[in-house]
């Protein structure tokens, strides 16, 4: 685990680079983000954003999705991949929201993960982006980069979440995770990291040539 001063420096640098740490999935109301995140599994956010306008126009409310024909939803989301499973989850989650939650998206992780197709990553995102609660969204970017930075030591999303809860202040958690995604797309790219121009290179124990520096 890194020392608090180093962690604060990492957070400050990321905040300077990405002052607006926003989710790239387009949505207007809570259930739209919930559905968009489900569609984003094994699919790019850009593709999801191309699909959701027509989807949300066809089914503007939780009730509409709850009453939707799964086959019709499948056709609207086909280009997102895994559309059979995703369509079923979307319809079933909206039925559950309607029947068990009064048509409201829950604001607690333990309740959100009861919904079909919703895991802790999605639940944290909803808590952070919709309800402004502390949220540790451990997607592939976050797991990979926090491992490289020495903030976490596991590939398991739950373990990474628990480790981040110990070192990232709650009030900075949601924005930090969004910044991890942006940083992973622009600089710390999985297959071709831009280490030479990385603003965190002096703080990264995984940077190339580190062993030669000591």
């Amino acid at each position: 685990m890194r020392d608090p001063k180093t962690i604060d420096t990492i957070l400050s640098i990321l905040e300077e680079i990405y002052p607006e740490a926003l989710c790239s999935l387009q949505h207007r109301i809570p259930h739209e983000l919930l559905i968009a995140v489900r569609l984003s599994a094994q699919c790019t956010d850009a593709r999801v954003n191309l699909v959701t306008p027509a989807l949300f126009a066809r089914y503007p409310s939780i009730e509409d999705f709850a009453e939707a024909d799964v086959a019709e939803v499948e056709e609207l989301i086909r280009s997102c991949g895994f559309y059979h499973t995703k369509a079923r989850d979307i319809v079933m989650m909206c039925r559950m929201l309607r029947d068990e939650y009064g048509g409201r998206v829950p604001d607690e992780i333990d309740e959100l993960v009861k919904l079909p197709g919703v895991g802790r990553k999605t639940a944290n995102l909803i808590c952070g982006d919709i309800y402004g609660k502390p949220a540790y969204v451990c997607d592939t970017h976050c797991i990979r980069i926090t491992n490289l930075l020495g903030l976490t030591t596991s590939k398991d999303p739950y373990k990474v979440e628990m480790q981040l809860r110990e070192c990232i202040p709650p009030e900075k958690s949601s924005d930090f995770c969004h910044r991890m995604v942006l940083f992973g797309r622009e600089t710390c790219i999985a297959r071709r990291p831009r280490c030479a121009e990385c603003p965190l290179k002096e703080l990264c124990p995984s940077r190339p040539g580190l062993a030669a520096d000591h």
Side-chain angles (χ1 to χ4, degrees), residues 70-150:
V70 173
E72 185 175 345
V73 176
E74 287 178 351
E75 289 306 308
L76 287 167
I77 67 171
R78 180 182 289 267
S79 65
C80 291
F82 301 97
Y83 58 93
H84 293 302
T85 302
K86 291 178 180 180
R88 184 182 68 246
D89 284 347
I90 288 169
V91 172
M92 295 306 296
M93 76 166 62
C94 286
R95 287 179 184 173
M96 192 169 176
L97 289 172
R98 178 194 64 186
D99 298 341
E100 299 186 28
Y101 293 97
R104 179 180 181 274
V105 176
D107 61 355
E108 298 290 342
I109 289 177
D110 289 346
E111 294 300 317
L112 285 161
V113 296
K114 295 177 182 179
L115 299 171
V118 176
R120 290 190 67 89
K121 181 187 79 171
T122 300
N124 270 285
L125 181 64
I126 295 299
C127 286
D129 277 38
I130 299 300
Y131 296 110
K133 294 187 172 186
Y136 297 80
V137 183
C138 296
D139 73 338
T140 55
H141 290 293
C142 184
I143 294 170
R144 177 175 56 82
I145 298 170
T146 57
N147 268 248
L148 291 172
L149 290 171

Side-chain angles (χ1 to χ4, degrees), residues 186-207:
E186 295 182 1
T187 302
C188 194
I189 305 165
R191 295 185 179 180
R192 45 185 176 85
R194 300 166 59 187
C195 296
E197 52 197 273
C198 176
L200 298 177
K201 63 183 178 182
E202 297 303 323
L203 302 168
C204 181
S206 305
R207 72 180 186 269

Side-chain angles (χ1 to χ4, degrees), residues 153-169:
T153 58
S154 176
K155 303 297 184 184
D156 178 80
Y158 180 77
K159 291 180 180 178
V160 170
E161 178 187 334
M162 294 304 109
Q163 290 176 345
L164 289 177
R165 287 181 180 276
E166 293 180 3
C167 66
I168 303 299

Side-chain angles (χ1 to χ4, degrees), residues 2-3 5-14 148-151 198-207 210:
R2 308 301 296 273
D3 64 276
K5 183 177 180 180
T6 299
I7 294 172
D8 285 344
T9 303
I10 291 172
L11 292 175
S12 296
I13 292 172
L14 290 170
L148 291 172
L149 290 171
L151 300 176
C198 176
L200 298 177
K201 63 183 178 182
E202 297 303 323
L203 302 168
C204 181
S206 305
R207 72 180 186 269
L210 179 62

